[in-house]
Amino acid sequence: MTDNQIITPPTHTRCESHIPYLGAQPSPDSNRKRYRLGNYVLIFLILLLFGISLALRTYHREIVSDDLLYGYILDEHPLGENDYSVKVENLSDAIKSQKAQYFYSNGRFIVHVLVQMFAGAWGNKAYSVFLALLGTTIICLFIRYSIVPKYRLNPFIWFLLLFTYLYLFQSFSRSWFSFAGGMNYMYPMMWILLFLLVFNKLDRTNKFCKPIYVILILLGLITGWSQECFSIPLSGALF
């Protein structure tokens, strides 16, 4: 070795990792969003199948009893003893019919105007679509009212409720699929749940004021007036 020779110190190379690079790992927030999105999709599909089932079962039924009678303009006689010769062809016919029935038969004016419109002018196809939308709305309101927020996105709870709704109610098809049955039982159910949701929300937040009282009175009046056992005087007396 000569004096002018430069000695280069040995270089130490860093040992490269043998673990492959997997890219950025999803954050907990990202996983949570995907989980919620998946549950939303499942719940939507469950509701869609439920609505289709309601529509098909309503449409493919035999129209008998009250559903036939409400297709005609009624007079002051009890249901079954009227002159069934003039069909309900428009809203004016249904209102005229129920004005006579209100004073001699029952007080469910709004509900039975709708019943007569479906039984007469609008027909069974329109009612099948309406009942499907009504049924899914009732389920959403019921979940909102009875299930705590922590479990509202659990698809199993939605499926269990819909299964109970479709198959575990006694005389379901006779009571709810018909014009008279659906409007007298399912339709008021929607108003009851809506009233309870609004009232409970205001009660928790304590945001009562005069306009809210007016809204609650009107909502409560419509809710009570839609019941089979109530009429407008009795509903008003509750306030």
Side-chain angles (χ1 to χ4, degrees):
M1 179 181 301
T2 61
D3 295 339
N4 296 329
Q5 187 175 3
I6 300 174
I7 301 175
T8 305
T11 59
H12 299 281
T13 59
R14 184 176 59 183
C15 180
E16 295 184 357
S17 172
H18 295 287
I19 301 176
Y21 176 68
L22 299 178
Q25 297 299 309
S27 65
D29 287 341
S30 176
N31 287 333
R32 195 177 299 111
K33 288 180 180 178
R34 285 195 292 182
Y35 173 78
R36 288 172 62 89
L37 179 61
N39 283 351
Y40 276 124
V41 171
L42 284 175
I43 291 169
F44 173 78
L45 292 176
I46 290 171
L47 286 174
L48 180 63
L49 292 175
F50 173 71
I52 292 173
S53 175
L54 274 183
L56 291 177
R57 295 171 71 177
T58 302
Y59 184 74
H60 294 288
R61 79 186 196 286
E62 186 178 0
I63 299 177
V64 297
S65 187
D66 289 358
D67 284 7
L68 291 175
L69 303 182
Y70 278 116
Y72 296 87
I73 296 178
L74 308 176
D75 52 35
E76 68 274 7
H77 295 92
L79 192 66
E81 300 178 9
N82 292 266
D83 176 20
Y84 295 99
S85 59
V86 183
K87 291 278 291 184
V88 173
E89 297 182 353
N90 50 53
L91 183 60
S92 177
D93 288 343
I95 292 175
K96 174 185 175 183
S97 178
Q98 283 306 307
K99 281 173 64 177
Q101 286 280 293
Y102 179 82
F103 292 102
Y104 294 96
S105 180
N106 67 77
R108 299 189 303 280
F109 183 85
I110 297 176
V111 168
H112 281 172
V113 165
L114 293 174
V115 170
Q116 293 212 260
M117 288 300 295
F118 283 120
W122 293 340
N124 190 44
K125 185 180 292 185
Y127 177 70
S128 302
V129 175
F130 173 81
L131 196 74
L133 295 174
L134 178 63
T136 52
T137 301
I138 289 171
I139 293 299
C140 293
L141 291 174
F142 186 84
I143 290 286
R144 181 77 178 179
Y145 176 72
S146 60
I147 306 299
V148 296
K150 180 180 179 181
Y151 299 108
R152 284 179 191 160
L153 282 182
N154 187 337
F156 178 74
I157 292 178
W158 289 76
F159 176 79
L160 185 63
L161 177 61
L162 298 186
F163 180 84
T164 303
Y165 193 89
L166 280 175
Y167 297 107
L168 299 186
F169 275 97
Q170 186 177 8
S171 302
F172 178 83
S173 59
R174 182 167 59 86
S175 299
W176 292 356
F177 289 159
S178 66
F179 299 136
M183 296 307 299
N184 277 297
Y185 301 114
M186 288 182 65
Y187 180 73
M189 195 183 303
M190 178 192 70
W191 288 108
I192 291 171
L193 288 170
L194 186 60
F195 178 85
L196 291 174
L197 277 169
V198 173
F199 183 83
N200 285 353
K201 177 71 173 180
L202 293 172
D203 187 48
R204 286 195 304 268
T205 58
N206 197 25
K207 292 183 178 180
F208 288 97
C209 59
K210 288 184 178 180
I212 294 298
Y213 281 119
V214 173
I215 293 173
L216 282 177
I217 289 173
L218 293 175
L219 188 57
L221 189 64
I222 294 173
T223 301
W225 197 2
S226 301
Q227 297 299 304
E228 189 172 25
C229 55
F230 285 83
S231 64
I232 186 169
L234 186 56
S235 299
L238 293 177
F239 294 96

